[in-house]
Amino acid sequence: MSDYAIPPTYALLADGSTVEIRAARSGDFGAIRAMHRQMSPDSSYLRFFSLSPQAPEREARRLCRPPDSDHAALLAWLGGSLIGVASYEPMDRPGVAEIAFAVSDQMHGRGVATLLLEHLVSVARQRGLAAFAAETLPENVAMQRVFADAGLQVRRQFVDGVVELTMPIPRGASEPQLDSYLDAVAERASRADVASLRHLLEPASIAVVGASRTRGSAGREILHSIVTGGFAGTVHVVNASGEPIEGVTSLPSAAHLPEGVDVAVVAVPAAEVADVAAQCGRRGVRALIVITAGFDIAAGAQLLAICRRHGMRLVGPNCLGIVNTSLQLNATFAQTLTPAGSAGIVVQSGGVGVALLEHIARLGIGVSSFASVGDKYDVSSNDLLTWWEQDGRTRMAVLYVESFGNPRGFARTARRLARQLPVLTVIGGRSPAGQRAAALQPAASAAPLVTQEALFGQAGIVACHSLGELVAAAALLSCQPLPEGRRVGIVSSASGVGVLAADACVDAGLSVAELSEVTQRRLAELLPPGAAVTGPVDTTASVTVADFRACLEGVAADEAVDALLAIGVPTAIADLSAAILAAELAKPVAAVLLDRPDSVSVLSASAKRRVPAYGYPETAARALGHAADYWAWRGQEHGEVPEPSDIDPAAARALVSTFLHSQPGGGWLPSADAARLAGSYGIPLVAERPASGDVVLNASVVQEPVFGPLVVFGLGGIAAEVLSDRAARLAPLTDVDAGQLIRGLQAAPLLLGQRGQPAVDIAGLTGLLLRVSRLADDLPEVADLDLSPVIARPDGVHALNVRVRLARATPRDPFLRQLR
């Protein structure tokens, strides 16, 4: 393959149709010429500024010439038909290329040109172009709108009857226009994704292929769930017997399905799936749910290729199915009757999905929609997050994913959704054994714990370490407002449990509120002698329901309290759960009822008065801690990626290129070259040794194969080995991210100053992390970079040594609008 070859890919048009986008080849000459010949006279004139009969042939010859670094030509294909072309050519201005588009007449208004423009921008960014230019006639309003709506900054001037447009191409993460462009791309991607998922998640018709005549098979149980669950759409069954199943007449094969069924559930042996998929595609089925497992790499690639060729979205294979409660559609073989509600759930593991469905139903939260995506060849958690963002029913998103296909795209989508509603997940593979198990899953790429924590933390996802912890957090977030701070007022009818609750709150990153003198006086008047009123509040076991309720209301009214932890110990004197439910509280509350058999349940007096109740104070404190973390994330600024003025990326790229040319297999840079590379980004290196009182740190970069550059920061020297005190964020870092790295260490007080000791140069330390991040983001060939030790002092920050390992990297645009 040529160094300038552009790999083919699939993407979605505005209406959800799947198109193939690939570079023009010599064999495409006839198709390109024919498409241009078939354009109307008006379209041809707008494209070529004339009606020359030779224009189609000249254009086809131009587009089909061999690839090189100066030009690019992309084609869009729909169902084997060429529907659009886009290209750029060099101009006499360095770094500027002229772009041109043509779209077949019947495809106008479906986003073909916009999609092709995005792909040209991606190519241009990777090749280092500075700007695009275009010329269009004033009456070509449609093409001017494509440029105006793309999200790029457009400069216009009218010259000799032609509109000349210039569009700078945003490259670095520090450029403000890059964020606005990516936002525009993300908005278009969201609309297209939702359009493509509508047949899958809101079907009017569904077919089950492989439903057995006897109960107990996956296909038959799915059909039973669909038919008995109340789905009002049309149901088809494919079974060679031809006998009715679940009251539905059987068809002999998928080839006999009526035209245009929305979704087909496929539960046949793995060897038969490809044929069934092809038959469904030829009948115009819009989406497939493949329950079957056991695909090898070749069979999986064949299945996905069939779906792409026929424009079908694919859930699975190796999945449980989907649920949409608004349609009373349960296309799974889970036993749980799924009540309608507000939680959207997506999982890879069907077993985890069954467990979550059971718990969400038990807690009375209910489900808006559910998808078990299995090996996720196509539809993934990214798609479901996008769907829930607009469905109008989902108020909480719950995820369990074992691998990530596009982490940066996932993070951007999740961050956008988390601004609206809580997104919860369980971090899997936290131990070496868990890592090994995750890596054995089909299509999995196990991510280290520190990487997952960085991804979820930056995206605002509530990340739990166990399924029980997730369910506990979901119970709180589903029925209580977010605490506007970390100060917890603890009210307990037993002093010992109050002590345990206080410890649990501190462990969860919360603080125990110290009540005001006014509140303490009121509580002392209310409670019997021997009660403690400073906080935690001990009401004593003899408290009445009325007094316990009044105590809760009094503590909640204190300005020093952000949330309440109400602990009731069962006695024959009073049922304190009634007091908790009856209390009029303007702040979130979590109950701890030690006699409850479930670790978490929900007390309910009405649909609007629901309180999560936990069996242990530790569980309740962790749930409150997650809620407080989420509130803090929603309130913080995302920050900006600064643009240092004293860096020289060109010199760094030249150094990297020279080294890899001499050593194609990569390797560690000589120390002098490593220092030069660091110096080109203004990273200070000195030969001084640390003195007593200096803080010894370590900053490093690791290029994760899927996640990209990860910046790791922590204590250096022996302390690092003993304490493992470190934090991580995915590059590029914003100034907020850098600050969180510093303050996220257990050793942060050493850096920020304590007990009369001055703080280290925090601005210098922040600048160092931002420069390391910028270097890593600019140079994907930097596989490893280690600054160790880094010496932090009040009068400055500098590194004593830098080690850099380079390796060839395949350019990858994580924000390019494309299907997997």
Side-chain angles (χ1 to χ4, degrees):
M1 178 179 289
S2 164
D3 289 342
Y4 309 110
I6 301 169
T9 190
Y10 286 90
L12 296 172
L13 294 179
D15 62 0
S17 302
T18 301
V19 295
E20 182 186 16
I21 295 179
R22 63 169 175 81
R25 308 166 185 159
S26 58
D28 296 320
F29 180 88
I32 295 172
R33 180 178 59 184
M35 190 200 86
H36 285 87
R37 282 178 173 175
Q38 291 163 8
M39 290 164 56
S40 69
D42 285 346
S43 297
S44 186
Y45 180 76
L46 291 175
R47 167 62 188 90
F48 298 113
F49 301 2
S50 72
L51 292 177
S52 169
Q54 288 77 39
E57 182 150 346
R58 286 198 305 267
E59 184 70 351
R61 189 175 297 111
R62 180 181 72 85
L63 294 173
C64 290
R65 73 183 192 272
D68 58 41
S69 61
D70 287 337
H71 84 284
L74 298 177
L75 310 181
W77 299 82
L78 176 64
S81 298
L82 180 63
I83 60 170
V85 302
S87 63
Y88 73 70
E89 299 286 353
M91 299 183 69
D92 54 4
R93 289 179 282 168
V96 181
E98 183 177 14
I99 54 175
F101 299 86
V103 175
S104 59
D105 287 356
Q106 70 272 21
M107 295 298 297
H108 288 181
R110 295 175 65 178
V112 179
T114 302
L115 182 61
L116 286 169
L117 174 59
E118 291 176 19
H119 281 253
L120 279 183
V121 169
S122 180
V123 173
R125 289 184 66 207
Q126 292 177 20
R127 294 183 179 180
L129 287 180
F132 278 151
E135 290 186 348
T136 184
L137 294 173
E139 58 265 39
N140 195 348
V141 176
M143 188 52 61
Q144 293 180 57
R145 186 178 299 117
V146 167
F147 297 138
D149 294 344
L152 299 170
Q153 291 185 343
V154 181
R155 296 195 294 267
R156 293 177 175 82
Q157 58 179 349
F158 191 71
V159 180
D160 296 331
V162 173
V163 179
E164 294 184 352
L165 308 169
T166 303
M167 292 154 282
I169 298 171
R171 294 185 58 197
S174 60
E175 298 180 43
Q177 57 265 39
L178 177 61
D179 232 25
S180 62
Y181 171 69
L182 293 181
D183 284 343
V185 172
E187 184 178 346
R188 290 191 291 270
S190 176
R191 292 197 301 267
D193 202 20
V194 167
S196 76
L197 294 172
R198 202 166 296 284
H199 295 292
L200 172 70
L201 297 174
E202 291 184 347
S205 55
I206 189 168
V208 180
V209 183
S212 171
R213 287 179 293 170
T214 58
R215 294 289 299 274
S217 68
R220 176 60 184 273
E221 295 306 318
I222 290 172
L223 177 62
H224 179 76
S225 296
I226 294 170
V227 172
T228 61
F231 177 61
T234 305
V235 181
H236 306 282
V237 179
V238 174
N239 182 284
S241 70
E243 298 179 5
I245 304 176
E246 298 285 347
V248 181
T249 302
S250 295
L251 301 171
S253 72
H256 291 79
L257 286 169
E259 186 74 23
V261 171
D262 282 316
V263 61
V265 181
V266 179
V268 302
E272 301 174 18
V273 169
D275 285 342
V276 168
Q279 291 172 8
C280 288
R282 287 192 289 269
R283 297 303 298 160
V285 172
R286 272 54 178 282
L288 291 187
I289 301 171
V290 176
I291 308 298
T292 313
F295 288 81
D296 59 24
I297 293 176
Q302 181 187 18
L303 172 61
L304 184 59
I306 291 169
C307 291
R308 291 287 179 258
R309 187 163 60 247
H310 292 285
M312 297 184 292
R313 297 305 304 265
L314 169 64
V315 174
N318 186 25
C319 72
L320 183 68
I322 66 164
V323 171
N324 186 335
T325 57
S326 69
L327 301 179
Q328 296 182 283
L329 172 63
N330 180 2
T332 74
F333 54 93
Q335 288 186 330
T336 303
L337 179 63
T338 307
S342 60
I345 304 175
V346 59
V347 296
Q348 278 187 259
S349 165
V352 173
V354 169
L356 285 172
L357 285 172
E358 299 235 359
H359 286 297
I360 294 298
R362 177 177 60 81
L363 294 173
I365 299 172
V367 171
S368 58
S369 54
F370 164 89
S372 161
V373 294
D375 296 343
K376 61 184 185 71
Y377 285 9
D378 176 23
V379 174
S380 68
S381 55
N382 295 32
D383 297 288
L384 271 298
L385 291 173
T386 301
W387 178 263
W388 294 327
E389 188 177 15
Q390 59 77 50
D391 71 353
R393 301 175 58 236
T394 302
R395 297 291 178 265
M396 172 190 298
V398 179
L399 325 172
Y400 178 69
V401 292
E402 296 159 352
S403 62
F404 299 87
N406 183 355
R408 289 198 181 186
F410 169 84
R412 196 174 186 91
T413 303
R415 185 185 300 118
R416 192 173 65 241
L417 182 62
R419 296 291 182 192
Q420 303 177 24
L421 52 88
V423 181
L424 296 86
T425 193
V426 178
I427 300 180
R430 294 185 293 111
S431 66
Q435 284 274 303
R436 291 194 297 272
L440 293 174
Q441 299 300 316
S445 179
L449 173 61
V450 67
T451 309
Q452 293 188 65
E453 288 178 334
L455 174 70
F456 296 144
Q458 286 169 274
I461 295 174
V462 177
C464 306
H465 282 192
S466 70
L467 194 60
E469 189 179 328
L470 181 146
V471 172
L476 179 75
L477 292 168
S478 70
C479 60
Q480 292 293 304
L482 294 177
E484 297 184 3
R486 300 182 179 277
R487 303 167 301 174
V488 179
I490 300 174
V491 180
S492 173
S493 62
S495 60
V497 185
V499 171
L500 296 176
D503 291 342
C505 284
V506 173
D507 290 341
L510 304 167
S511 63
V512 178
E514 295 186 11
L515 304 178
S516 69
E517 292 184 4
V518 172
T519 301
Q520 291 184 42
R521 283 197 301 270
R522 290 174 179 170
L523 295 179
E525 294 170 0
L526 180 70
L527 297 173
V533 296
T534 57
V537 174
D538 173 20
T539 66
T540 76
S542 62
V543 69
T544 66
V545 169
D547 287 347
F548 196 79
R549 171 183 173 178
C551 185
L552 289 175
E553 292 175 345
V555 172
D558 195 299
E559 293 183 356
V561 172
D562 298 309
L564 273 80
L565 195 54
I567 305 172
V569 178
T571 68
I573 298 174
D575 176 11
L576 298 183
S577 63
I580 296 170
L581 267 180
E584 297 288 342
L585 306 173
K587 293 173 183 175
V589 58
V592 177
L593 301 174
L594 298 181
D595 62 333
R596 295 289 165 136
D598 295 322
S599 61
V600 58
S601 58
V602 174
L603 305 176
S604 178
S606 66
K608 293 185 178 181
R609 191 180 290 272
R610 302 172 72 243
V611 176
Y614 301 90
Y616 306 99
E618 298 82 5
T619 310
R622 281 196 296 270
L624 281 172
H626 283 306
D629 289 342
Y630 177 52
W631 171 83
W633 179 87
R634 284 183 62 162
Q636 75 182 20
E637 294 293 328
H638 176 55
E640 298 180 349
V641 179
E643 175 69 24
S645 59
D646 57 346
I647 65 174
D648 190 353
R653 291 191 185 97
L655 190 156
V656 168
S657 178
T658 300
F659 180 83
L660 290 177
H661 181 75
S662 64
Q663 297 193 40
W668 291 95
L669 277 176
S671 57
D673 286 344
R676 284 173 53 211
L677 186 70
S680 65
Y681 279 83
I683 297 171
L685 292 172
V686 297
E688 299 178 43
R689 304 309 302 171
S692 175
D694 295 343
V695 182
V696 181
L697 301 162
N698 176 277
S700 63
V701 168
V702 179
Q703 282 283 352
E704 289 286 347
V706 176
F707 287 72
L710 180 77
V711 179
V712 183
F713 175 68
L715 286 180
I718 297 176
E721 301 173 12
V722 175
L723 300 177
S724 297
D725 188 8
R726 62 179 183 175
R729 288 289 185 273
L730 296 172
L733 299 182
T734 66
D735 47 4
V736 171
D737 293 328
Q740 290 175 343
L741 276 177
I742 295 169
R743 290 167 177 80
L745 298 181
Q746 297 175 32
L750 293 176
L751 305 173
L752 301 174
Q754 62 171 355
R755 298 181 181 177
Q757 295 297 315
V760 304
D761 180 5
I762 296 298
L765 195 53
T766 301
L768 175 71
L769 291 172
L770 291 171
R771 291 171 185 277
V772 168
S773 165
R774 176 63 187 272
L775 184 154
D777 197 49
D778 283 353
L779 305 171
E781 298 86 355
V782 175
D784 290 286
L785 180 148
D786 188 28
L787 288 173
S788 179
V790 173
I791 309 303
R793 299 172 175 168
D795 60 349
V797 174
H798 50 261
L800 268 62
N801 184 47
V802 59
R803 299 177 71 241
V804 178
R805 183 173 66 86
L806 300 181
R808 289 199 177 275
T810 302
R812 184 172 181 267
D813 186 345
F815 303 112
L816 181 63
R817 192 146 53 107
Q818 60 184 335
L819 293 170
R820 298 175 58 176

